[in-house]
Amino acid sequence: MVETVPTPTPARSGVASPGRGELPVAAVRAYLGRRGLPAGPVEVGLALRELGHLVSDHAVRSTVAALRRESVGAGPLDDLLALPDVTDVLVNGAAQVFIDRGHGLEQVASPFADEAEVRRLAVRLAASAGRRLDEGSPFVDTRLASGVRVHAILAAVADQGTCLSLRVPRAGSLSLGDWVAGGALAPAAAEVLRRVVGHRLAFLVSGGTGSGKTTLLASLLSLVPPAQRIVIAEDSRELRPTHPHCLRLEGRPANSEGAGAVTLTDLVRQALRMRPDRLVVGEVRGAELVDLLTALNTGHEGGCGTIHANSAGDVPARLEALAALGGLGRAALHAQVAAALDLVVHIRRLGDGRRWVEELRVIVADPGSGLCRAVPALRFEEDGSVRRQEAHELLVRRLGG
């Protein structure tokens, strides 16, 4: 178990040695670095002897283990990332570390001794993905080989010190049954969502940060018939649907020379040439919206994605803002949306940290203005009841009656 603490209590990174206090891990690291030596038992023993410390089997093993923790994986954070149900690990400088296990943030004892240790880890994680992190480029957003998404920002920008935000990918997608069993989805909502996927309606999953949009979308994509080909475009690979014919394309930032970037717009355009039965954009957040809408209006039924919005009613305005990035005017955007999108599925995070699939809204164009609205169709209450709303009959028709 991870010890939760009411106040930050930074741990020491040195390794205890009976009768001699803490071993000088930093000094051993510097010694090996100056001589270009690996952190092996022989080299560490030599460093301890040269530094005037007692050389014992325990001291060598402990120091080697401490040095290797600093150079492999996420170092001091690996134990937190491995905890069951952890979705996020957040480091606010050396003093504060928080985790999220599905019930909101909880503070845990910090494994870092000082700011320098946090910075070393941040720089190494960035370098492991071929990215630069220094005063000239003080923040980075990347993904580790394990799939963990990492955002790092240095103390030059963040007053708390170097900050790390790690998002842990789910090992496998949840079924809708899992959502119902976990108290995040009403049984009636599960049945409607199955029909949405089965009838190849185009939809967006909306919600706030950390609300579970990507996890819900992966669950819905797992319902796509096995004979259909899914092509997913994402900035960072997070969607992991359980499906036998799923291709996942991932964007790439520019290198230190400013070249080599692969944007979501690039990926959407490439995906269209890959014969998708279902075109998916992991998160619609920029100019790629224009290409997605164009694709959905040219015979690619059943397309979907996620979008950041605090309520389902905010989605049309959010789409307007994103379309402007792609050079699409307001009238043209609403005409495209009316023809391309069928509905919005909204999920939110409750006060106790649980996720809840709250409502379905149908995209409807106003005949007079031509502007689209997300009109409420079904609302799912936490007690399991369902409220039919204004666009319920329209939703029924779109689902084939």
Side-chain angles (χ1 to χ4, degrees):
M1 295 290 293
V2 174
E3 176 194 0
T4 57
V5 293
T7 55
T9 310
R12 300 289 296 169
S13 63
V15 183
S17 175
R20 295 298 302 267
E22 293 182 345
L23 290 176
V25 176
V28 171
R29 184 194 316 109
Y31 178 94
L32 297 176
R34 287 193 299 270
R35 289 159 178 77
L37 298 175
V42 174
E43 293 79 9
V44 167
L46 174 63
L48 290 173
R49 184 176 297 107
E50 290 292 321
L51 292 169
H53 285 262
L54 176 66
V55 180
S56 65
D57 288 344
H58 170 74
V60 170
R61 285 197 303 270
S62 299
T63 307
V64 169
L67 290 170
R68 287 181 176 170
R69 276 196 303 272
E70 291 184 350
S71 59
V72 177
L77 299 178
D78 271 337
D79 289 343
L80 296 177
L81 293 172
L83 288 173
D85 302 322
V86 164
T87 60
D88 297 88
V89 176
L90 308 175
V91 179
N92 304 336
Q96 291 185 332
V97 177
F98 294 84
I99 63 173
D100 188 343
R101 290 188 273 196
H103 304 288
L105 294 177
E106 54 184 298
Q107 189 171 358
V108 299
S110 172
F112 298 103
D114 51 34
E115 161 64 18
E117 188 176 359
V118 185
R119 181 182 173 118
R120 279 196 304 273
L121 175 61
V123 171
R124 180 173 63 76
L125 294 180
S128 70
R131 302 294 303 281
R132 168 187 165 195
L133 185 65
D134 54 31
E135 270 65 22
S137 181
F139 43 81
V140 69
D141 192 4
T142 188
R143 184 177 59 85
L144 304 182
S146 63
V148 173
R149 183 173 174 177
V150 178
H151 178 270
I153 187 164
L154 296 182
V157 179
D159 64 355
Q160 287 283 100
T162 297
C163 295
L164 288 163
S165 303
L166 284 73
R167 171 68 58 88
V168 184
R170 186 173 291 276
S173 64
L174 298 174
S175 68
L176 289 191
D178 294 329
W179 281 84
V180 172
L185 182 67
E191 180 56 34
V192 174
L193 292 175
R194 287 190 182 94
R195 295 180 64 188
V196 166
V197 176
H199 282 75
R200 300 191 69 163
L201 298 189
F203 64 91
L204 293 175
V205 178
S206 65
T209 301
S211 58
K213 301 184 296 295
T214 300
T215 306
L216 177 60
L217 182 57
S219 300
L220 296 177
L221 291 174
S222 298
L223 301 175
V224 172
Q228 295 181 15
R229 173 179 169 95
I230 302 173
V231 182
I232 300 173
E234 296 180 277
D235 261 337
S236 181
R237 201 175 299 160
E238 294 183 290
L239 275 171
R240 297 169 179 263
T242 303
H243 192 276
H245 199 166
C246 179
L247 300 178
R248 298 158 65 202
L249 311 180
E250 184 179 23
R252 184 178 66 194
N255 59 24
S256 56
E257 285 77 37
V262 177
T263 68
L264 265 182
T265 297
D266 296 327
L267 294 181
V268 171
R269 292 175 179 174
Q270 297 309 309
L272 292 175
R273 295 173 171 85
M274 299 172 70
R275 197 215 169 273
D277 290 303
R278 307 267 184 155
L279 177 62
V280 181
V281 176
E283 182 174 354
V284 181
R285 63 173 75 181
E288 69 279 355
L289 169 66
V290 177
D291 297 281
L292 175 63
L293 292 176
T294 301
L296 297 181
N297 279 320
T298 53
H300 292 84
E301 296 180 339
C304 51
T306 71
I307 188 167
H308 187 103
N310 291 326
S311 72
D314 292 339
V315 169
R318 176 76 171 140
L319 292 174
E320 282 188 20
L322 297 180
L325 298 175
L328 192 64
R330 189 185 190 202
L333 175 275
H334 282 270
Q336 290 269 46
V337 168
L341 290 176
D342 292 296
L343 55 91
V344 175
V345 180
H346 189 70
I347 183 172
R348 70 183 179 95
R349 193 157 189 171
L350 305 177
D352 60 5
R354 289 186 299 119
R355 280 82 171 176
W356 180 251
V357 180
E358 184 174 57
E359 65 175 329
L360 271 67
R361 293 197 178 201
V362 176
I363 299 294
V364 178
D366 182 85
S369 66
L371 300 182
C372 291
R373 295 185 300 129
V375 182
L378 288 173
R379 186 174 184 86
F380 306 103
E381 305 295 351
E382 294 174 47
D383 61 7
S385 62
V386 182
R387 279 200 288 148
R388 296 180 177 183
Q389 297 181 295
E390 179 183 347
H392 174 256
E393 291 302 321
L394 179 55
L395 174 62
V396 170
R397 289 198 297 272
R398 291 189 180 182
L399 291 174

